[in-house]
């Protein structure tokens, strides 16, 4: 049994909105999946578009227009090198994980 792979970052979420698809989740809400093939097919198209036009695409915000091509290339290369056909996209990123870990570390005690 092969375990699923999870991707976590704003750029990955943006790319999933562009090239991924929703799938039913265990909690009743959809989860996003990003296939390597679909991601790879978007790279040349993203590279041809001027940055100003990229923000018109689904999921690509103005602050991501200059980095989204590089993010797509790096992610596609990593998925290829690690033989990952598809990854599940986390709705959370590193910042939220650090915050949750910090909250977990707090010792909550009852008032005396």
């Amino acid at each position: 049994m092969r375990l699923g792979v999870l991707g976590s970052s704003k750029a990955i979420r943006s790319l999933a909105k562009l090239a991924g698809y929703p799938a039913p989740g265990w909690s009743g809400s959809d989860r996003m999946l990003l296939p390597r093939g679909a991601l790879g097919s978007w790279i040349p198209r993203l590279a041809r578009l001027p940055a100003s036009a990229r923000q018109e695409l689904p999921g690509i915000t103005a602050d991501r227009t200059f980095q989204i091509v590089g993010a797509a290339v790096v992610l596609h290369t990593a998925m290829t090198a690690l033989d990952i056909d598809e990854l599940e996209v986390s709705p959370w990123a590193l910042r939220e994980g650090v915050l949750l870990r910090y909250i977990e570390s707090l010792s909550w005690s009852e008032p005396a």
Side-chain angles (χ1 to χ4, degrees), residues 45-106:
R45 290 187 266 179
L46 284 171
R48 280 193 302 268
L49 285 174
S52 60
R54 292 181 197 138
Q55 67 186 353
E56 303 302 320
L57 297 171
I60 310 300
T61 58
D63 61 326
R64 299 272 172 220
T65 58
F66 291 100
Q67 69 185 47
I68 203 67
V69 177
V73 169
V74 169
L75 180 58
H76 187 266
T77 302
M79 290 175 76
T80 301
L82 297 170
D83 194 28
I84 298 167
D85 294 325
E86 182 173 76
L87 59 82
E88 184 168 346
V89 180
S90 172
W92 295 25
L94 179 63
R95 179 181 13 218
E96 290 85 3
V98 169
L99 181 60
L100 288 173
R101 181 60 54 115
Y102 173 73
I103 291 170
E104 275 182 355
S105 73
L106 297 175

